[in-house]
Amino acid sequence: MDSIGLPARYMDEKGRIDVARIKAETSIAKVAAEATELKKSGDELKGLCPFHPEKTASFFVNEGKGMYHCFSCSAGGDVIELHQRLHHVDFRQACFDLTGAATLVPIALENPDLVAMRRAESVRRARQIWREAMPIAWSLSETYFINRGIGDDIPGSIRHSHVARWWDADGREGRREPAMIAALQDRDGRVGGIQRTFLDHEGRKSTRGTPRLSLGRVRGCAVRFGPVAETVMLAASVEDGLAVRLMFPGASVWAAVGDGNLPHVRFPSQVRRVIVCGDADEPGRIAAAAAMAAYASVGLTVEDLVPRAGKDFNEEWLLLHA
């Protein structure tokens, strides 16, 4: 990656950008605080998410881990990815900015019309990636699911591709990487977004940056592993949804791609009953409770299904079928 002009202390012995050093020496809390007001919450900081409108803070920053996550819109990543998303710059420019090459501009100064245009472009790009993606047979995505014990009969809402993590304003894209692509469908069944799970060359989750990145519309959408039915089993992740599908053959299972979206899926009118399949840990229980309350408030019959073994349903499936 081009590092010409970068301070020498942020280049490794081969002249490349020393990403680890930039992350270690940059305060993610300071970067986030320029976009939203943060308050102490246990070992973390929380505030209103700068990436979507909200009245209750769901945006958390962990200074020790150098990571951020929004439990509502599922945005998350490290300090470089946070800067990229806040300021709409590519990876290289973010590294330059964070090492002192530019002054940060608060997201509040963004033109609303420009933000809307970028959101529309995000949906367009997500749909294009989905159209161009291939079935997972003989791909690294198939290997990924086999390694997780859920490789049987993967539905068509999952595909495989080589895609970029980012694009700059001129359309130039970052390095393409293998990724499992999950289609996020809205209430009417239209693909409005995708979730990309980046993989290494052995079919495992990539350790290069955040392995999961969404693109396009997420809130209100879900990955469908079954048809619209009177009863839908709603899992928090793609992997958990596929495990639940194996546990309950014939059930219509959908995935919300994150605890943050678990309470916000908009179901077609034919759906009358939702079985919320959240994780067994504390964040999972909180998200499941929020989902049950949300769906009950719109007249749906709700039930809660908790993993009997392990933290989540994929782990339970592996434990029970190892």
Side-chain angles (χ1 to χ4, degrees):
M1 185 175 288
D2 185 6
S3 60
I4 297 174
L6 193 72
R9 63 182 278 101
Y10 294 108
M11 292 187 289
D12 64 19
E13 66 277 7
K14 295 183 179 180
R16 300 172 303 191
I17 296 175
D18 190 341
V19 175
R21 184 162 194 163
I22 293 174
K23 292 180 182 180
E25 297 186 1
T26 305
S27 168
I28 192 170
K30 183 177 179 181
V31 173
E34 298 199 25
T36 186
E37 181 180 355
L38 298 173
K39 296 181 179 179
K40 187 74 173 174
S41 177
D43 294 331
E44 298 183 308
L45 298 168
K46 71 175 182 179
L48 297 177
C49 181
F51 303 122
H52 76 281
E54 63 176 8
K55 295 182 179 179
T56 302
S58 59
F59 179 82
F60 286 77
V61 175
N62 189 311
E63 181 74 356
K65 296 181 179 179
M67 303 293 289
Y68 77 97
H69 182 75
C70 175
F71 286 93
S72 182
C73 71
S74 297
D78 58 38
V79 65
I80 297 175
E81 291 165 317
L82 176 60
H83 182 86
Q84 282 183 256
R85 186 160 184 177
L86 285 174
H87 303 287
H88 308 286
V89 296
D90 63 27
F91 181 87
R92 178 178 177 274
Q93 185 60 53
C95 291
F96 273 60
D97 292 349
L98 293 173
T99 55
T103 301
L104 303 183
V105 179
I107 196 72
L109 299 182
E110 283 277 21
N111 183 322
D113 292 335
L114 186 58
V115 171
M117 289 176 60
R118 285 173 176 151
R119 287 175 178 167
E121 171 61 17
S122 178
V123 171
R124 185 203 66 78
R125 192 180 294 275
R127 288 172 172 165
Q128 178 181 350
I129 290 173
W130 176 249
R131 288 193 301 269
E132 295 175 353
M134 305 293 290
I136 73 163
W138 306 103
S139 72
L140 288 172
S141 291
E142 183 178 54
T143 302
Y144 172 72
F145 288 125
I146 290 173
N147 290 340
R148 300 194 67 130
I150 49 177
D152 296 332
D153 187 28
I154 302 299
S157 52
I158 302 294
R159 295 179 183 175
H160 179 79
S161 190
H162 281 69
V163 295
R165 291 175 181 264
W166 55 264
W167 299 264
D168 64 20
D170 296 325
R172 185 174 65 89
E173 64 178 36
R175 184 180 71 180
R176 292 196 170 206
E177 302 175 47
M180 180 263 287
I181 310 295
L184 285 156
Q185 294 176 258
D186 63 18
R187 184 177 186 178
D188 298 320
R190 298 170 298 193
V191 174
I194 57 173
Q195 184 183 68
R196 296 162 290 166
T197 300
F198 290 95
L199 307 172
D200 65 19
H201 292 289
E202 295 183 1
R204 298 170 300 194
K205 276 186 192 174
S206 174
T207 57
R208 180 181 175 271
T210 303
R212 286 195 179 102
L213 289 174
S214 297
L215 183 67
R217 191 179 306 117
V218 175
R219 191 180 178 92
C221 299
V223 182
R224 300 183 183 185
F225 303 136
V228 176
E230 185 171 315
T231 297
V232 168
M233 302 183 75
L234 181 65
S237 71
V238 166
E239 296 82 354
D240 288 344
L242 291 173
V244 171
R245 185 170 178 262
L246 291 172
M247 294 175 185
F248 298 90
S252 186
V253 183
W254 297 7
V257 298
D259 285 347
N261 194 41
L262 199 62
H264 300 297
V265 174
R266 296 187 64 213
F267 294 99
S269 59
Q270 299 96 313
V271 177
R272 302 296 179 84
R273 176 169 166 254
V274 178
I275 302 175
V276 178
C277 307
D279 291 351
D281 58 9
E282 184 178 2
R285 292 295 83 217
I286 293 172
M292 293 179 69
Y295 300 134
S297 71
V298 294
L300 294 171
T301 300
V302 294
E303 295 180 24
D304 188 21
L305 185 65
V306 185
R308 297 166 295 170
K311 180 183 76 69
D312 56 42
F313 284 98
N314 188 193
E315 187 173 316
E316 177 179 347
W317 177 259
L318 286 171
L319 289 171
L320 295 179
H321 296 82

